[in-house]
């Protein structure tokens, strides 16, 4: 066999094993989007949220059951043999796009993605893990990884007796607590949860304190670190889809408003300067959609490039979401600054997401490390 023939065969084998990224939405994903959007429009419109964000709980009663159990969204990442839907990160990303559009206060990212993926990495470790996964997939139980919302996938997530800034802790039935000697499942009744006042009132934060000997040990230190990293990586990758959905709503709402609002007897959206700003934002959204879909697809296929694809998506999408929300507030003029308009909900969620699961700068550093790009001297 000649050297050229060997190289040709190696190239063909590589092409067969490496699947190109699929950034398009399937018919199943479109149907799922329609179902989730209809549910949120009916049960959790912006006016409903505005009436709840300053109460003890922003969560709409019964909404989690409708989304998680009735639609089956909580079990999308869980294989059928473990009681889930057997879908993938692509479908979960669609759900998060819709939750981002509506700025919905639900523990979907924290429970159905981060906690679920953490447990999936330990699926063969114990019967307790399998049982907990089945409960999460059915929507009967909400689990939260007891680490600060700002924790990046490559960070050391082991916590001491308490962790501050834990998202959706007030909705949790069980906490997954990473300690130096492994990962523990701690019932919410055995933990102390102290709510904090967050910038984004639709994603409650709290300080969670657990006793040193509380809970059931699910895995040892090494397996625990790998599982938590998998959970946080999936969370960061699919957070980009939430940011995408939020940015899309901001642009659509801004375009709608500037068509209807008139000054000097013409729509303000017809002014050249505003056209350019919205056109640039549309271009940013095209890039954000590609980055978010690439991250979801890489996670779904188990690509070796998933850490890099996720880092790229977060470094880009977090900035686009903030810019879209800022433009939405500003181009709405005076009404955009009021408490009655939902633009501030989008801006606060975008700013909160900007530092969630690693800041853009942290992900840019990760990109540099993954591709071997040395920092400037």
């Amino acid at each position: 066999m000649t050297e050229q023939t060997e190289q040709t065969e190696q190239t063909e084998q590589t092409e067969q094993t490496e699947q190109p990224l699929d950034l398009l939405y399937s018919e199943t994903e479109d149907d799922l989007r329609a179902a989730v959007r209809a549910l949120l429009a009916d049960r959790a419109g912006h006016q409903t949220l505005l009436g709840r964000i300053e109460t003890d709980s922003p969560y709409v009663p019964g909404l989690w059951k409708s989304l998680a159990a009735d639609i089956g969204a909580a079990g999308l990442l869980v294989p059928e043999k473990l009681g889930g839907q057997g879908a993938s990160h692509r479908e979960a990303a669609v759900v998060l796009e819709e939750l981002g559009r509506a700025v919905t206060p639900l523990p979907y990212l924290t429970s159905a993605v981060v906690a679920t993926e953490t447990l999936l990495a330990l699926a063969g470790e114990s019967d307790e893990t399998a049982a907990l996964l089945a409960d999460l997939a059915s929507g009967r139980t909400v689990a939260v990884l007891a680490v600060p919302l700002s924790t990046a996938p490559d960070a050391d997530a082991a916590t001491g007796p308490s962790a501050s800034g834990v998202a959706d802790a007030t909705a949790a039935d069980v906490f997954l607590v990473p300690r130096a000697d492994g990962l523990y499942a701690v019932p919410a009744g055995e933990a102390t949860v102290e709510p904090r006042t967050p910038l984004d009132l639709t994603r409650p934060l709290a300080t969670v304190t657990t006793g040193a000997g509380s809970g059931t040990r699910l895995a040892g230190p090494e397996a625990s670190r790998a599982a938590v990293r998998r959970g946080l990586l999936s969370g960061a990758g699919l957070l980009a889809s939430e940011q995408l959905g939020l940015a899309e709503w901001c642009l659509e709402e801004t375009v709608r408003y500037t068509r209807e609002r008139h000054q000097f007897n013409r729509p303000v959206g017809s002014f050249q300067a505003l056209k350019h700003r919205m056109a640039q934002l549309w271009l940013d959204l095209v890039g954000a959609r590609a980055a978010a879909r690439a991250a979801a697809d890489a996670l779904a296929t188990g690509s070796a490039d998933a850490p890099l694809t996720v880092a790229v998506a977060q470094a880009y999408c977090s900035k686009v979401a903030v810019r879209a929300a800022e433009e939405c507030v500003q181009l709405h003029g005076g009404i955009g600054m009021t408490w009655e308009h939902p633009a501030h909900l989008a801006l606060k969620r975008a700013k909160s997401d900007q530092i969630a699961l690693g800041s853009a700068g942290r992900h840019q550093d990760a990109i540099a490390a993954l591709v071997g790009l040395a920092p400037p001297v």
Side-chain angles (χ1 to χ4, degrees):
M1 182 182 294
T2 65
E3 182 178 351
Q4 183 176 2
T5 303
E6 290 180 355
Q7 291 177 346
T8 301
E9 289 184 355
Q10 289 175 357
T11 302
E12 291 176 350
Q13 291 174 356
T14 300
E15 291 176 349
Q16 290 174 357
T17 56
E18 292 183 1
Q19 297 180 353
L21 288 172
D22 182 3
L23 307 185
L24 302 179
Y25 297 99
S26 67
E27 184 178 349
T28 300
E29 290 167 25
D30 288 337
D31 291 343
L32 176 61
R33 180 192 307 282
V36 175
R37 184 174 297 188
L39 172 66
L40 298 182
D42 180 54
R43 302 278 300 280
H46 285 132
Q47 293 307 312
T48 300
L49 300 187
L50 289 170
R52 296 194 59 85
I53 56 174
E54 291 191 281
T55 64
D56 292 337
S57 175
Y59 305 111
V60 178
L63 183 60
W64 175 251
K65 179 182 181 300
S66 297
L67 177 70
D70 297 345
I71 291 181
L76 289 175
L77 298 181
V78 181
E80 292 184 35
K81 64 180 181 180
L82 295 176
Q85 305 300 322
S88 74
H89 299 78
R90 292 173 57 91
E91 289 78 12
V94 169
V95 174
L96 279 164
E97 283 183 35
E98 294 307 308
L99 295 177
R101 283 181 65 94
V103 200
T104 309
L106 278 180
Y108 189 82
L109 179 68
T110 47
S111 182
V113 177
V114 177
T116 295
E117 277 287 285
T118 300
L119 291 172
L120 283 171
L122 305 174
E125 295 287 329
S126 65
D127 293 338
E128 290 85 355
T129 302
L132 186 51
L133 272 170
D135 287 341
L136 293 186
S138 68
R140 294 189 300 268
T141 299
V142 172
V144 169
L145 184 64
V147 300
L149 178 61
S150 59
T151 307
D154 59 352
D156 182 7
T159 60
S162 65
S164 60
V166 180
D168 295 317
T170 55
D173 299 302
V174 62
F175 292 104
L176 304 181
V177 183
R179 297 171 180 156
D181 62 335
L183 185 70
Y184 287 77
V186 180
E190 298 180 15
T192 301
V193 178
E194 301 176 67
R196 301 302 184 197
T197 302
L199 170 66
D200 175 17
L201 296 175
T202 64
R203 180 163 278 158
L205 302 178
T207 297
V208 177
T209 304
T210 57
S214 61
T216 302
R217 189 169 182 260
L218 301 178
E222 186 175 348
S224 171
R225 283 191 293 270
V228 170
R229 188 178 189 282
R230 172 174 165 176
L232 294 174
L233 183 69
S234 294
L238 297 191
L239 177 63
S241 292
E242 178 181 293
Q243 292 162 332
L244 169 63
L246 185 150
E248 286 181 334
W249 178 85
C250 288
L251 178 58
E252 291 172 11
E253 178 64 19
T254 302
V255 170
R256 182 199 63 77
Y257 178 78
T258 54
R259 282 176 173 170
E260 296 177 356
R261 180 79 170 98
H262 283 66
Q263 283 186 349
F264 308 110
N265 204 33
R266 58 186 289 196
V268 296
S270 65
F271 297 142
Q272 189 84 351
L274 299 193
K275 283 183 177 180
H276 285 179
R277 288 169 66 172
M278 288 183 281
Q280 182 58 54
L281 187 55
W282 182 82
L283 290 175
D284 291 342
L285 275 175
V286 171
R289 184 178 300 110
R293 292 299 293 169
D297 190 70
L299 290 168
T301 58
S303 170
D305 288 333
L308 176 60
T309 311
V310 167
V312 169
Q314 266 307 298
Y316 187 76
C317 292
S318 62
K319 295 179 180 179
V320 172
V322 170
R323 182 169 176 272
E326 290 174 341
E327 290 285 77
C328 182
V329 170
Q330 188 173 35
L331 295 183
H332 271 76
I335 193 174
M337 308 291 179
T338 65
W339 198 251
E340 289 76 15
H341 195 278
H344 69 90
L345 297 178
L347 179 58
K348 291 170 184 175
R349 173 64 69 88
K351 292 297 290 184
S352 174
D353 283 355
Q354 193 175 30
I355 60 173
L357 300 172
S359 64
R362 179 69 178 255
H363 287 288
Q364 287 171 341
D365 290 342
I367 293 170
L370 289 167
V371 301
L373 180 63
V377 179

